Amino acid sequence: MLITTPNLAKPDETYARLIATHDGLSEGESHALNARLVLILMNHIGDDMVLAEALRLARDPGAV
Amino acid sequence: MKHDVPERYALAFRLYPYAKSPDQDAARPVRHKAVVVGGGPVGLATALDLGRRGVPVVLLDDHEGAGLGSRALCFAKRTLEICDRLGAAGPMLGKGVQWNLGKVFHDNRLLYEFNLLPEGGHAMPAFINLQQPWFEKYLHDAILAAQAEGAPIELRGKNRVDGVIPGEDHATLEVMTPDGPYRLEADWLIACDGARSPLRNMLGLGFDGRVFEDNFLIADVKMKADFPTERWFWFEPHFKSGDSALLHKQPDDIWRIDFQLGWNIDRAKELEPARIRARVDAMLGPDVDYELDWCSIYTFQCRRMERFRHGRVLFAGDAAHQVSPFGARGANSGVQDVDNLCWKLALVVAGLAPDSLLDTYDSERVYGADENILNSTRATDFITPKTPVSKLFRNAVLELAETVPFARTVVNSGRLSMPCTYDGSVLNGADHPDMPARSRPGSPCPDAPLATGWLLEQLGRGFVLLAIGAEAPERLEADGLTVPCLQLDPTEALAARYLGGVPAAIYLIRPDQHVAARWDSYEEQAVAAALARAMGKE
Ligand SMILES: Cc1cc2nc3c(=O)[nH]c(=O)nc-3n(C[C@H](O)[C@H](O)[C@H](O)COP(=O)(O)OP(=O)(O)OC[C@H]3O[C@@H](n4cnc5c(N)ncnc54)[C@H](O)[C@@H]3O)c2cc1C
C-alpha cells in the first residue's frame, strides 16, 4: 500500500534538501536529475503495486 | 510456350531447381494432404516436420533456394532444440558462432558488460550467430536426409502461387511455373510466404500493428580483425554513425553492423557504398581493413494477423506476425510456430484428434506472438524513444547504468528470444504446486543430461510420459496412441528442473516437448484424461 499519510520525520528539511540538490543546474540538467531520482526511488521501493499506485496518484492527484 | 517466374531476389544457394511435376499435366487438379507455400526458414521447417511425422507434404516457392543477404542472424536455444529434433542442428552448431559476452556503450563510455552465462547441463547453447541462408541450407539438407529415409516431402522450385480459392474441406491453388500455370488442391494449406504474404492479401485478411518511424542500415562487413566474439551495442555512439549501433560476429569473418539512421532519410543516398564506408570507418577506426559484404535499409513493424487459422488455411512465421529485429524473434518465433503446428496437424490428418485441435495452434501461437511483439516493441521504444520525456528517462537509465547495478537491468537493447510458455492454454492439464515453475504445464521441457545423451533427444516423436523416481507402467494405451514411459532416476539436474519440492514426479510431455500435465504419482485415469485434453478432446 502506498503511504499517503505523513511519513517524513523532518518534512521541511527533506524538502529543502531536494530543492538544494538542484542548485546551479540548468532546467535540462534538473529534469535529468529528477529522472534519475525517480528511477533510483522506484528501484528502492520495488513493490509493483505500490509503484502503480504512486504513478496513478502522480498523474492525477485528485484520485486519492 | 515458356512462361516467366522471375526471381525477385538473388540466391545464396540453389537448393530445389524447377522440375516439371506430373501434377501439371493432370486432367483434374491433384489433391494433396498438405501444401506449404514459401520456402523460407518457416516453410522449410514445416515441410521437414510434417514429412518426418508422416504427413505427405508439397512445398511451393517461387524461387529455387535460399535468398542472398543474411537477415536473421541470432538463433536461440529453443530454435536449436527444435532443429535438433528435426535432425538439422548438428551442422548449424558446427558453422555458427557461439557467444555469451555483451558490452553496452553510451557515447564513448563502456556502461557495463554482461555474460549470458548459460546454465550448464543443456545440449544446446544459449544462442548461435549464423546467416539465414545457411540456416535454410541446413534445413534443406535435413529434408534431403529425411527424404532418403522415406519421408513424403516434395519441394517445387519456381512454383509461384498466384491465386487461392478456399473451400470447406480443402483449398485450391493457382500456380505459375516456367511451363505455364496449373492448379492443385490441398486438404491443408500452410501459408509461410513471408511478411508480405500474397496468400494473406489474396484472402483479404488484415495485418495490423505499429510501424516504427525509423530506418536501420544493416551492413555485413568482411574483415580479419581480431575483435572478440562479443555483442557490442552503442547508444548515441561517439562516432556519430547513427543514433544507435550494433556490432555482432558471424561465421566466415563477417560482422553484422547495424546503424539507426532516423526517419527522414534519403534511402538511395544512404545506400551508396562510399557513405556506408564513411559510417563504418568512423566506428571501426581508420586502420581497419574490410569489405562490404551485403547492405540493406529496413524500417520495422510490429504486427500480427488477428487469427492464424482460417478454416483449412494456416498462417505461420512472418506471414502471420512480424516483429522488429531487436531480440531476434522473427525466425525464432516462426520456428516455434512450426513446432506447435505440425504435431497437431499430423494427429488431425491421421484422424486421431478432432479438427478443433488446430484452433489451439491459433490460440497458443497468437499468445506467443503477442509476447514477442510486446518484447520487441519495448526494446524498440527504449532504443528509439518516441517522446522527449521518454528520451530523458532512457538517458537517465544509461547514465545510472555505469555505476549503479539496478539500472543495468532496465537497459534494453533487445531482450533475447526466450521460448514461450503457454500459460492458460486449454491443452494444459494438472499442475502440482511444489514442482518448479520453469517446468509448469505449457512450458518447453528444460533439457538435462541423462546417463547417455540428453533428455530432449528422448522427447518429440509423440506424446511421452516421464517417470522421475516414480512408479509407472511401461506405456499407456489410450485414444489410439501408445504413449511410452521413460523411467528416469532423479539426478541433480532432473531434480532441480522437474522435482523441486517433491521426491518423485510423472510428467506428460507433448510431441513439441512442451509439458502437458504433471503429478507426484501415476494414476492412469488422471493421465489418460490429461492426454485426451492435450489432444483437444475436451
Ligand atoms: C535485418 C533483419 C535481421 C533479422 N535478424 C533476425 C535474427 O537475428 N533472428 C531471427 O530469428 N529473425 C531475424 N529476422 C527475421 C527473419 O529474417 C524472418 O522472421 C524470417 O525470414 C521469416 O521466415 P519466413 O519463412 O516466415 O518468411 P521468409 O523468410 O520471408 O520466406 C518467405 C518465402 O515465401 C516465398 N514466397 C513469397 N511469395 C510467394 C508466392 N506467391 N509463391 C511462392 N512462394 C512465395 C518467398 O520467396 C520466400 O522464400 C531479421 C530480419 C531482418 C530484416
Side-chain angles (χ1 to χ4, degrees):
Chain A
M1 256 267 285
L2 181 72
I3 302 171
T4 52
T5 50
N7 193 38
L8 297 170
K10 301 174 188 162
D12 291 351
E13 216 173 299
T14 308
Y15 183 76
R17 193 175 303 130
L18 172 66
I19 302 303
T21 305
H22 286 265
D23 276 353
L25 298 185
S26 70
E27 191 173 337
E29 289 165 339
S30 270
H31 282 311
L33 184 154
N34 281 337
R36 292 195 295 274
L37 184 63
V38 167
L39 291 164
I40 291 166
L41 295 177
M42 278 177 64
N43 182 63
H44 184 85
I45 293 165
D47 186 321
D48 262 337
M49 304 279 277
V50 173
L51 288 171
E53 272 185 82
L55 291 169
R56 252 194 321 271
L57 181 61
R59 171 88 200 202
D60 180 7
V64 206
Chain B
M1 188 181 119
K2 275 288 170 195
H3 295 254
D4 202 16
V5 181
E7 276 184 4
R8 294 173 290 118
Y9 48 81
L11 294 188
F13 301 112
R14 196 156 173 259
L15 301 173
Y16 36 87
Y18 172 74
K20 194 170 180 189
S21 151
D23 285 8
Q24 292 171 242
D25 294 323
R28 298 177 41 84
V30 175
R31 176 76 72 96
H32 292 273
K33 276 276 175 246
V35 173
V36 173
V37 179
V42 176
L44 288 171
T46 304
L48 178 57
D49 203 356
L50 286 178
R52 285 172 57 110
R53 293 191 187 281
V55 179
V57 55
V58 176
L59 180 148
L60 311 174
D61 195 289
D62 63 339
H63 292 68
E64 296 178 307
L68 198 69
S70 75
R71 300 208 287 161
L73 164 63
C74 247
F75 291 93
K77 175 162 170 290
R78 181 63 197 145
T79 302
L80 296 171
E81 289 171 352
I82 294 166
C83 289
D84 199 34
R85 178 172 68 71
L86 297 174
M92 293 175 181
L93 294 174
K95 174 104 187 161
V97 173
Q98 292 187 25
W99 63 277
N100 290 314
L101 217 62
K103 286 194 176 124
V104 178
F105 301 86
H106 186 200
D107 194 359
N108 57 359
R109 293 168 304 140
L110 170 65
L111 296 185
Y112 64 97
E113 301 182 11
F114 61 88
N115 190 332
L116 294 177
L117 270 187
E119 181 185 54
H122 293 258
M124 295 296 142
F127 271 90
I128 60 166
N129 283 358
L130 178 70
Q131 295 95 327
Q132 182 164 332
W134 285 100
F135 185 80
E136 294 179 24
K137 181 182 185 305
Y138 293 138
L139 284 174
H140 181 259
D141 287 348
I143 287 176
L144 295 179
Q147 284 171 329
E149 284 173 17
I153 307 171
E154 195 192 325
L155 307 182
R156 297 186 186 170
K158 277 204 187 281
N159 272 239
R160 186 183 69 221
V161 175
D162 285 344
V164 59
I165 305 153
E168 261 307 289
D169 64 351
H170 71 287
T172 306
L173 291 173
E174 289 164 355
V175 184
M176 179 56 85
T177 74
D179 288 311
Y182 73 105
R183 287 182 160 214
L184 103 186
E185 293 178 352
D187 281 354
W188 298 97
L189 177 62
I190 303 106
C192 309
D193 49 348
R196 290 169 210 269
S197 180
L199 280 169
R200 195 183 58 224
N201 294 333
M202 289 175 218
L203 292 172
L205 299 168
F207 199 40
D208 294 325
R210 222 173 121 186
V211 181
F212 290 93
E213 297 203 337
D214 217 322
N215 288 284
F216 287 78
L217 170 69
I218 315 286
D220 282 356
V221 307
K222 194 174 175 89
M223 61 176 170
K224 290 265 193 296
D226 48 2
F227 282 126
T229 304
E230 299 172 357
R231 178 187 193 265
W232 290 9
F233 192 96
W234 282 263
F235 293 96
E236 304 181 318
H238 60 98
F239 43 81
K240 305 289 179 225
S241 302
D243 298 329
S244 69
L246 176 68
L247 178 70
H248 223 180
K249 177 104 164 65
Q250 307 183 39
D252 304 323
D253 298 317
I254 308 255
W255 297 78
R256 161 70 52 89
I257 301 177
D258 286 10
F259 296 118
Q260 179 191 345
L261 300 186
W263 186 231
N264 289 309
I265 60 157
D266 180 341
R267 275 179 83 94
K269 196 169 130 213
E270 294 300 348
L271 278 170
E272 284 168 13
R275 249 190 108 74
I276 297 177
R277 295 195 74 95
R279 288 182 189 278
V280 176
D281 289 347
M283 176 175 186
L284 299 178
D287 311 321
V288 178
D289 234 11
Y290 64 89
E291 293 159 41
L292 295 179
D293 183 64
W294 176 76
C295 300
S296 185
I297 288 182
Y298 290 92
T299 53
F300 298 136
Q301 337 235 359
C302 283
R303 52 185 179 171
R304 70 162 166 88
M305 296 177 76
E306 196 181 325
R307 286 179 292 126
F308 297 172
R309 177 179 184 191
H310 291 267
R312 292 292 177 124
V313 188
L314 299 141
F315 287 83
D318 276 15
H321 46 76
Q322 212 188 348
V323 294
S324 83
F326 300 111
R329 285 159 193 274
N332 283 307
S333 67
V335 171
Q336 289 183 53
D337 291 346
V338 176
D339 193 37
N340 191 285
L341 174 59
C342 290
W343 68 271
K344 294 175 179 174
L345 190 53
L347 282 179
V348 171
V349 165
L352 290 166
D355 171 279
S356 60
L357 179 60
L358 290 168
D359 293 335
T360 70
Y361 164 69
D362 179 77
S363 56
E364 292 188 333
R365 291 313 299 161
V366 161
Y367 180 85
D370 282 346
E371 193 174 282
N372 284 317
I373 287 173
L374 182 70
N375 275 295
S376 74
T377 300
R378 284 177 176 168
T380 311
D381 283 340
F382 192 88
I383 293 165
T384 74
K386 300 298 173 295
T387 61
V389 74
S390 151
K391 182 154 185 175
L392 179 75
F393 275 111
R394 198 281 302 270
N395 284 355
V397 170
L398 294 178
E399 234 186 296
L400 290 170
E402 194 176 354
T403 48
V404 192
F406 88 82
R408 292 168 199 164
T409 62
V410 187
V411 174
N412 189 345
S413 66
R415 299 276 178 238
L416 300 170
S417 168
M418 299 301 279
C420 182
T421 294
Y422 303 122
D423 282 320
S425 169
V426 294
L427 300 184
N428 292 351
D431 192 8
H432 192 292
D434 300 329
M435 295 185 192
R438 67 189 287 186
S439 45
R440 65 190 182 276
S443 47
C445 284
D447 203 0
L450 301 184
T452 52
W454 299 91
L455 176 62
L456 291 188
E457 289 168 0
Q458 304 296 321
L459 309 175
R461 278 167 288 275
F463 281 92
V464 177
L465 279 163
L466 295 183
I468 306 172
E471 295 282 322
E474 254 170 52
R475 67 185 69 81
L476 169 73
E477 311 263 358
D479 290 297
L481 298 182
T482 301
V483 181
C485 181
L486 195 61
Q487 294 279 352
L488 298 168
D489 292 328
T491 59
E492 206 182 307
L494 284 173
R497 293 165 199 185
Y498 289 91
L499 296 183
V502 298
I506 302 286
Y507 277 76
L508 177 64
I509 311 297
R510 307 182 347 180
D512 56 6
Q513 302 176 332
H514 281 249
V515 174
R518 57 184 185 175
W519 306 265
D520 57 10
S521 65
Y522 185 86
E523 208 218 299
E524 181 158 326
Q525 246 187 340
V527 176
L531 176 66
R533 189 182 174 96
M535 293 171 73
K537 294 188 168 181
E538 255 180 42

